[in-house]
Amino acid sequence: MPDEKIETLVIGGGQAGLVMSHRLKQRGLSHLVLERHRIAERWRSERWDGLIFQFPNWSVRLPDFPFPHSDPDGFSDTATIIKFIEAYADFVAPPIRCGVAVTRLSQRDGGRFIAETTDGTIEADNVVVATGPYQRSVIPDLLRDHPVFQVCAADYKNPEQLPPGAVLVAGAGASGAQIAEELLQAGRRVYLSVGRHRRLPRRYRSRDLIWWLAEMQFDQITPEERGQARLGPVISGAYGGRSIDFRDFAARGMILLGRLDAADGGVLDIAPSLDKSLGDGDIAFTTFLDTVDEYVKRRRLELPEEPGARATLPDPPCVTAPQARLDLAAEGISSIIWATGYGVDFGWIDIPVLDARGEAVHRNGISAVSGLYFLGLQWLSKMNSSFLSGVGDDAVVLADHILARR
């Protein structure tokens, strides 16, 4: 017998779980939120000290709760975002239990769900899985047994955490690029492995990228309209916010590498992909500029032109004569930071709603199993589903669906 019976169980106490609670309370629907550690735990323990949020302050918001700031075009640090989410939790006042993890989710023959937790068993009519999109680091199995210091981006804290010596950053997405630049600024010799990426401008024609995404409704693009492309934009909020230019990194002393392909002891084989990766990133960048220019012309917007945005630095030697192999010891590399992406971890869900890769099967957060929902995942219903400003729209859909089931 379960220890407790409730109408709706929300699993996860980050922004998605808090927003879900808010939407359920607005409809008078009883529920309980479970959080395995603390509210906004991943913001607290899985971010590095110098992380600056990629979204400008004016764009940060949660449902019915604006983000307080004095500089709309500035970018906030992690501590400020945590305080904002904590204040939102006070505003929502969710029925939440922290320090309680769900270890298994199953379903009875009658359709009700059984959540086995570290604090007993809960039976629920509905379950919303709001555990976020960044649950486990995806790390290639290249140097598993090598003694060099290795850490994933979620566990990296600051340059002082690393032993003396050069650093290899594997992965040039938004996190990898910002960490690599932080290390370069700290005086480290940095090697950056650059793979497929989608480089976009931080600002163009006096407007931030996030403004353009909303203005042209790109942030409303659905997974079906997106197709197979999953690459997020490589931008940074650090140092006042800037476009990422890997050639500029190289001009400042960073050594660019292609994709890490294989390893033999402490020697890495580098794929001959760097030139193509940079070229594809350039195409994404200029295509976006072209799209904005066409939009400005069509809508007759009075915004200044910015021809300098298309200027390209010359290819550095590490691009014209790329390294094919990297000997960690010979190059004095004492640390590797794996910024190679994240995946979900739904192994505790013992219900047939996962595909062969272990990812949730749903449509706009609604699974084929009646009463089971997902919230806060990337591209849940559209591009901005995992944004602070977008999760509230998806939560409305789920809350209305739960209300209709009632």
Side-chain angles (χ1 to χ4, degrees):
M1 291 292 291
D3 299 306
E4 189 174 0
K5 294 183 179 181
I6 60 173
E7 184 175 5
T8 299
L9 176 64
V10 179
I11 303 174
Q15 61 256 28
L18 295 174
V19 169
M20 192 69 233
S21 178
H22 183 46
R23 296 307 193 195
L24 292 170
K25 289 183 74 173
Q26 287 177 322
R27 288 154 182 77
L29 297 172
S30 63
H31 63 284
L32 172 66
V33 182
L34 296 183
E35 164 54 44
R36 63 193 177 106
H37 292 306
R38 298 167 292 179
I39 288 173
E41 179 62 34
R42 286 197 166 91
W43 281 100
R44 300 175 190 275
S45 59
E46 298 181 17
R47 304 290 190 270
W48 68 95
D49 298 345
L51 171 67
I52 302 297
F53 199 34
Q54 298 174 29
F55 288 73
N57 291 333
W58 62 260
S59 70
V60 180
R61 60 185 178 277
L62 286 166
D64 306 312
F65 200 75
F67 179 62
H69 58 78
S70 58
D71 180 5
D73 293 318
F75 299 85
S76 293
D77 59 18
T78 302
T80 302
I81 299 298
I82 292 172
K83 289 179 181 178
F84 174 60
I85 295 174
E86 288 176 332
Y88 183 69
D90 291 339
F91 165 73
V92 172
I96 188 170
R97 294 177 193 166
C98 292
V100 179
V102 177
T103 57
R104 181 171 180 261
L105 180 68
S106 58
Q107 190 175 29
R108 292 191 185 279
D109 292 338
R112 288 175 65 83
F113 299 96
I114 299 297
E116 298 174 23
T117 83
T118 53
D119 190 35
T121 302
I122 298 173
E123 184 175 310
D125 292 319
N126 310 287
V127 173
V128 181
V129 178
T131 49
Y134 309 121
Q135 298 168 24
R136 61 179 179 85
S137 298
V138 177
I139 300 176
D141 191 16
L142 291 176
L143 295 164
R144 179 179 296 275
D145 298 321
H146 195 274
V148 67
F149 180 86
Q150 301 179 56
V151 66
C152 65
D155 294 327
Y156 167 76
K157 297 305 177 186
N158 51 59
E160 291 71 32
Q161 173 193 16
L162 310 180
V167 184
L168 168 61
V169 179
S175 295
Q178 192 177 140
I179 290 172
E181 186 172 20
E182 175 178 279
L183 291 166
L184 189 68
Q185 295 275 67
R188 292 296 187 105
R189 182 170 175 81
V190 180
Y191 293 76
L192 177 63
S193 172
V194 180
R196 291 176 60 243
H197 62 276
R198 184 172 171 236
R199 194 168 68 88
L200 294 181
R202 173 75 272 176
R203 292 178 65 85
Y204 183 55
R205 300 190 71 157
S206 78
R207 295 291 187 271
D208 189 84
L209 171 67
I210 303 304
W211 188 92
W212 284 117
L213 293 180
E215 171 68 19
M216 297 188 294
Q217 296 191 321
F218 284 177
D219 63 350
Q220 302 299 305
I221 290 175
T222 66
E224 293 76 18
E225 293 170 325
R226 173 203 66 186
Q228 296 300 311
R230 291 193 172 205
L231 295 174
V234 182
I235 53 174
S236 175
Y239 314 108
R242 61 177 66 181
S243 300
I244 296 297
D245 185 340
F246 295 118
R247 293 181 182 86
D248 174 63
F249 282 4
R252 292 157 54 193
M254 194 179 297
I255 299 95
L256 306 181
L257 306 168
R259 187 186 68 253
L260 305 183
D261 208 20
D264 181 9
V267 180
L268 291 163
D269 290 335
I270 311 299
S273 58
L274 180 57
D275 183 63
K276 185 178 187 307
S277 293
L278 293 181
D280 289 346
D282 293 341
I283 291 172
F285 191 91
T286 55
T287 298
F288 187 82
L289 300 187
D290 291 342
T291 302
V292 169
D293 288 343
E294 292 170 6
Y295 181 85
V296 169
K297 182 178 180 180
R298 185 172 66 254
R299 296 296 299 270
R300 298 180 181 179
L301 300 179
E302 295 184 1
L303 293 173
E305 295 186 5
E306 195 176 337
R310 297 174 184 274
T312 303
L313 292 173
D315 285 338
C318 58
V319 175
T320 56
Q323 291 185 227
R325 306 193 83 195
L326 183 70
D327 187 321
L328 300 180
E331 300 294 338
I333 296 173
S334 61
S335 308
I336 301 177
I337 298 174
W338 296 101
T340 40
Y342 298 88
V344 294
D345 183 6
F346 292 140
W348 50 274
I349 300 180
D350 192 12
I351 301 171
V353 291
L354 307 178
D355 63 16
R357 296 176 300 180
E359 296 184 359
V361 178
H362 63 87
R363 184 171 182 80
N364 299 335
I366 303 169
S367 81
V369 175
S370 183
L372 181 57
Y373 307 88
F374 294 87
L375 182 65
L377 298 178
Q378 289 183 311
W379 291 95
L380 188 90
S381 69
K382 50 191 180 297
M383 176 191 280
N384 73 355
S385 286
S386 58
F387 296 1
L388 284 175
S389 60
V391 66
D393 294 339
D394 288 333
V396 165
V397 173
L398 302 192
D400 286 343
H401 199 274
I402 292 171
L403 181 62
R405 287 193 78 232
R406 200 183 207 190

